[in-house]
Amino acid sequence: MSKKLIAFLLALPASAEIIYATSYNDHTVTSLKLDGSSLTRVSQNLDCGSEPTWLTLDKSKSVLYCLNEGWGGSSSITSYRTSASGTLETLDVLSVLKSPVASTLFANNSKLAVAHYDTSAFTTFSVADPTNLSLLGQQTYQLTAPGTVPERQDAPHLHDAILDPSKKFILVPDLGADLIRVFQVDDGAAAATAVTSIPTIAGSGPRHVAFAKAGRETFLYSFNELSNTISGYSVTYKRDAAPEFTRLFDVPSGGPGTTVPAGTKAAEIEVSPDQRFVIVSSRGENSLDIPAFDGEGTIKSDPLQVFAVNQQTGALTHVQTAPAGGRNPRGFSLNKAGTKLVSALQDDNRVVVYERDVRTGKLGKVLAHATVGSGPNNGPNYALFDE
Ligand SMILES: *[C@@H]1O[C@H](CO)[C@@H](O)[C@H](O)[C@H]1NC(C)=O
Ligand SMILES: *[C@@H]1O[C@H](CO)[C@@H](O)[C@H](O)[C@H]1NC(C)=O
């Protein structure tokens, strides 16, 4: 072990963890150190470009991929070498089609699949050498006519890319086309081929999806931005063919019988590491009053909604409405143990870490918080534990 590495390890207490947060308004990837109740900025990096958003971590290689939405039109992927101290070393920056919004590693972390919102595209990249990213495949979609919600469904808008539990298929919800597009991982030049697509409820606008693997059952949950509902599907695998998806239910984001104010926009969905809970974030509700983080009075918060997954049927039971920690919780992540949740509050320039009870699935008290971003709105939009 080199002297330099030992110095870094000593500088970071054993209990400390690194969290990365992306922010639009200050154009940074911020590395935060979480140590007990303290969350402090340890470094900031500007190489992800003008509008850093989604992060994908390859912990085995200590490589972090950052997508730049590039609202002005210049979009990119940046690869970073991570370090125990939190500082990021830029390895490569590759120009890509406009508005990449989410990505997933596949093919044993040698390739990256990306969903593009404005340009209605699905793209794949070789990241086998993270210092030399290269485009593999690019598929662009069209609509013959606008969808049920014409102002949002003027064109296909691909919003997420996730690898299924078999690691053979990539699912890409298309908010504009009311479809979940399914790609099969293959050895061809493009690395993944479209095999089927799952029609969603007209006008639902699927934004993000997450799998739950419960014993021998597999369920898929789609969080729908336009209808503010969660659709549940059972997933049946048939040897190497594309899995079959059967829609089981569609429930409002706050649970059966609830409604959301006009202007609410469903955002993120995560399944807990033990596959027993679904958590979603809802933007624009301002429905909760929580103690202000500076200690003066109260502030408005959007909710995180927690549901328990019936391990046999995939049905969801609402268990908690918890504060997201402020306004516009576009992105949040759980740690691997499921004991913490980090929430990025886009309209409050704040990142908050909540404790989580693994047994009940409920979110608890604020563990730590930090200011990330500067200026009005469009601050931190995604946060991820380095693990
Ligand atoms: C995946 O990559 C890891 C490390 O890069 C390697 O050790 C492993 O053998 C690979 N597995 C497969 C199935 O290629
Ligand atoms: C980078 O990757 C491209 C495409 O795979 C390849 O043609 C090129 O030789 C690589 N460059 C370096 C410096 O490795």
Side-chain angles (χ1 to χ4, degrees):
M1 198 182 274
S2 74
K3 282 207 175 95
K4 195 175 166 198
L5 183 54
I6 289 166
F8 275 135
L9 292 175
L10 288 178
L12 196 72
S15 59
E17 298 163 84
I18 297 294
I19 291 171
Y20 304 107
T22 50
S23 169
Y24 296 131
N25 60 17
D26 65 355
H27 320 292
T28 64
V29 182
T30 298
S31 304
L32 299 150
K33 184 178 71 172
L34 174 65
D35 191 2
S37 63
S38 119
L39 186 64
T40 48
R41 288 186 286 189
V42 289
S43 89
Q44 292 196 297
N45 188 293
L46 289 163
D47 288 347
C48 186
S50 53
E51 281 85 23
T53 184
W54 195 262
L55 297 169
T56 297
L57 178 71
D58 183 346
K59 183 67 180 170
S60 67
K61 288 189 198 154
S62 301
V63 174
L64 182 70
Y65 301 93
C66 180
L67 304 183
N68 169 24
E69 274 183 41
W71 295 346
S74 183
S75 297
S76 49
I77 302 173
T78 297
S79 53
Y80 292 110
R81 177 83 59 208
T82 63
S83 67
S85 69
T87 45
L88 297 172
E89 177 200 350
T90 302
L91 300 177
D92 197 10
V93 183
L94 181 70
S95 289
V96 302
L97 275 183
K98 190 172 180 242
S99 66
V101 284
S103 56
T104 184
L105 287 161
F106 68 105
N108 200 16
N109 294 2
S110 68
K111 292 166 188 167
L112 192 74
V114 179
H116 300 254
Y117 186 89
D118 293 1
T119 44
S120 311
F122 171 77
T123 56
T124 51
F125 299 86
S126 170
V127 297
D129 176 358
T131 68
N132 184 22
L133 310 177
S134 62
L135 178 71
L136 295 173
Q138 182 167 303
Q139 179 75 52
T140 301
Y141 295 95
Q142 266 125 37
L143 277 184
T144 49
T148 307
V149 184
E151 66 275 19
R152 293 296 308 278
Q153 299 186 311
D154 55 323
H157 293 303
L158 287 65
H159 216 313
D160 195 8
I162 71 161
L163 194 58
D164 82 321
S166 78
K167 302 191 190 309
K168 290 178 181 160
F169 298 92
I170 298 166
L171 269 70
V172 179
D174 183 334
L175 186 154
D178 283 328
L179 293 173
I180 300 171
R181 300 181 185 277
V182 182
F183 298 82
Q184 184 160 16
V185 174
D186 59 39
D187 295 327
T193 305
V195 284
T196 188
S197 49
I198 311 160
T200 67
I201 294 170
S204 59
R207 174 187 174 94
H208 281 268
V209 293
F211 281 95
K213 207 161 170 1
R216 289 166 58 191
E217 308 295 329
T218 304
F219 304 108
L220 176 76
Y221 299 100
S222 169
F223 199 26
N224 308 314
E225 178 167 336
L226 304 183
S227 61
N228 292 291
T229 60
I230 306 169
S231 302
Y233 298 82
S234 64
V235 187
T236 311
Y237 285 89
K238 310 233 160 166
R239 292 182 170 273
D240 286 336
E244 280 176 12
F245 297 85
T246 307
R247 191 166 62 239
L248 303 171
F249 60 82
D250 186 66
V251 288
S253 60
T258 62
T259 56
V260 292
T264 299
K265 290 193 291 179
E268 184 62 277
I269 182 165
E270 292 283 324
V271 168
S272 60
D274 62 10
Q275 313 292 297
R276 292 173 54 234
F277 296 94
V278 166
I279 307 170
V280 297
S281 67
S282 180
R283 298 173 293 175
E285 292 196 39
N286 290 316
S287 51
L288 304 173
D289 293 296
I290 60 171
F293 287 82
D294 64 6
E296 299 279 326
T298 61
I299 60 166
K300 288 290 177 193
S301 176
D302 282 321
L304 298 172
Q305 303 286 3
V306 182
F307 295 83
V309 175
N310 180 307
Q311 301 287 292
Q312 278 77 46
T313 66
L316 297 181
T317 307
H318 186 254
V319 297
Q320 186 188 24
T321 299
R327 297 173 302 146
N328 203 350
R330 179 183 167 99
F332 68 86
S333 305
L334 295 168
N335 66 345
K336 280 217 155 62
T339 54
K340 291 168 196 161
L341 180 148
V342 61
S343 173
L345 290 316
Q346 190 175 330
D347 289 351
D348 279 352
N349 288 338
R350 184 184 306 115
V351 168
V352 182
V353 181
Y354 283 98
E355 68 176 8
R356 181 175 174 275
D357 183 324
V358 174
R359 192 180 56 82
T360 64
K362 288 186 177 173
L363 295 161
K365 66 177 196 297
V366 171
L367 283 176
H369 62 94
T371 297
V372 174
S374 61
N377 305 328
N378 288 326
N381 62 83
Y382 192 59
L384 186 68
F385 286 90
D386 178 26
E387 58 167 28

